[in-house]
Each structure stands twice: as structure tokens, then as C-alpha cells.
Amino acid sequence: MAMSPYSPLAESVPTQERILVIYTGGTIGMQQHADGLAPGGDFTIRMATALNQLPLAQQQSLPPYEVISYTTLIDSSAATPLTWQQIARDINDQLTAYAGFVIIHGTDTLSWTAASLAYQLQGLDRPVVVTGSMRPLESPGSDALDNLQGALQFAAKPMLQEVAIYFAGQLLRGSRAIKQHSEAANAFASPNYPLLGERVGDDFIYYLSRGLGLQQRGAPRFELPDYRLVNQGEIVRIALWPGITAWQLEAWLSDSRVKGALLQLWGAGNLPNAANLLDVLARASGEGKLLAAISLCPQGSVHLGAYAAGHGLSDAGVLAGDDMTPEAAFTKLAHLLAQPLTLEDQRQRFLTSLVGER
């Protein structure tokens, strides 16, 4: 990584009062080349140039900041659990030196990274705001400048004590967000939890009563397990489709390399009325595999057994994910399976809200 201080006020402000911007890659930093958009360098200077286009009063309200750029920029579509681990450990290493953090990330898996960071940085006592853009920084009509400005503003609010996403004027809980649109500027949503904050005119308003900050006690209790243990496909994600059969489900779950699975069921938690499907699930659970279920619907919650079509899932050892997003449920499975916990501890912690994810 390369660190480049670059803020008009940075030199005159103690480090502990600055924001650290960690640039990992993504569309926001891409530039047009002969063969199309490709990662571009010099992001520190380019970011400062963009922020200098803001009205003077808005420039003056920005917090001082420094920038770290990853030597190898990450295409977020190629991100892995090791990517999540690297970012969390970099924040941990710099934690006491900065008042808050902005993580600049590609949008494709931005919500996955945010959810994972929330579990790794439990007990966080300062802001970590993840952002990016749908269009490159220098493109006409880009959303990048607005997102950078908002992320910096919220990263300077000490009352915000969790991982959040700032995008298109909205501050979302990191463990509650999904990417809902592949092209629109308002690409992210929080389907089952209200906004943590938003931009209103030139003001950036944080809704304190919706945040985790009021609940924090004592020093951060970060959990930074070795994600290499869940980086080779040990957790699978299976979304139901009409006609799914037991042999297809078994092909995934009987593999000895699989340690856990996220099932996405219909409606409130239904699956086809076939006993052999439940048999496969019960056998996998009996082998010590961590199985959890959420709904295919982006809004609402699962209630295993509410309908006859979902009866037997709990008996088969499947854990209800309530109203969790796929990102939050999957990264939680990864986080728990990367730790030396008993199966019962893993199951209990999955059913417990750790960072406001359920």
C-alpha cells in the first residue's frame, strides 16, 4: 500500500482528527483507455481535484483526510473473503490513528464487503463508511463526487459507530444493504431497516436513534479470524427453483469440502413438498454443516414452519435467517465458520443479532 497525505487541512490537524481513505479500486477510479475503461492511478490527486470543484463553503466543511491506495487495485467482482479480511485488518492496524474511515470500493460486491466488515469490526467505536460510484470520477454526470463528499462527511461524525454504506445521498447500515440496480445512481437499498442518515440540501443528517453507537460499551472487540479457512468454496449459496431435486441439493451438500450453506427459499420459508429434500438437509446438518435459510424475496422475513411447505426445516437443523440479506447471511456464515467454535456456538451466534443484521 502507498500512503499519500492530501487534504488542504491535513498538515495542520493532528492525525487522530483526520479521516483515512482506503482506495481499493472499482469503477470510481477507472479511466478511459483505447480498449475501454481500466483502473487508473493517481487517485489521491484526482480525488482532491474533484473535491475542489465543490462550492467553497462545502469544501471548507470537509474533514481533513489522508489516502491509502492499494498497490494492486481490486476489481470488486473478483473479491473474495481474503479481500474482506485485508480491509478489516488494515482498519484495525490504523484504528487509533484516525477519527474515521472511508473505504472506496467497486459496487458489484460493495454490500458484501460492508457486511463482512461489520462482523469483523464488532464493537467499532468510530465510523467506517463504504462508498464507490456507478460512473468514473471524471465522467460527465458522474455520481462519484457526491458519494465521496457524503462519505467523508459521515466518516467525521463520531456518533456513527458502525460500518455503513453511503451512496446516492443515503446512509445505509452495512449489514442491511443490497445492490438493487445495475445501472441507476441509487444502486443500493436497505429493504428491511430504515436509513441511518441522509443528505438534505447541504446537510448530512445522522439519525442517532437508528444506529449502533448508543449500544457500544468499552473497547472494540474486533474478531479477525483467518478467512483462508472459508476461501475455497467451503460455503455454498443455493437459491431454489421450480423442479429442484434431492440429488441436485445433495450434489452440493454431500461434498466433504462444504462446511455450510445458505438456502434461499420461497416466500416465508417454503420448499417443495418432498421428504427426500429434508432428508438431504438433515443428513448434512447431522454431519456438522451449518445450514441457514432466508427468503428469495428481498423484503420480509422467513418463518420456518408457518406453512406446511416449510414444515420440517427446523427439525432438519436449518437455522432461520429472519429478514437478513443474502450478503449479511452468507458473510455471517463465513465469519462463524472461520472461528474455532463448537457447532452449537456457531448455531447460537447465527441466531443472535451481532451487528444489527437481523
Side-chain angles (χ1 to χ4, degrees), residues 267-306:
N270 300 322
L271 79 167
N273 184 19
N276 54 359
L277 286 173
L278 289 174
D279 290 342
V280 172
L281 295 173
R283 188 158 52 248
S285 181
E287 292 170 353
K289 298 181 180 183
L290 195 61
L291 309 183
I294 59 172
S295 177
L296 279 162
C297 303
Q299 289 185 281
S301 182
V302 294
H303 303 280
L304 301 185

Side-chain angles (χ1 to χ4, degrees), residues 27 107 132-136 143 147 167 179 181-185 187-188:
T27 297
T107 62
S133 69
M134 300 301 287
R135 305 177 71 174
D143 55 331
N147 290 345
F167 220 90
K179 187 177 181 183
H181 205 293
S182 64
E183 297 173 331
F188 292 87

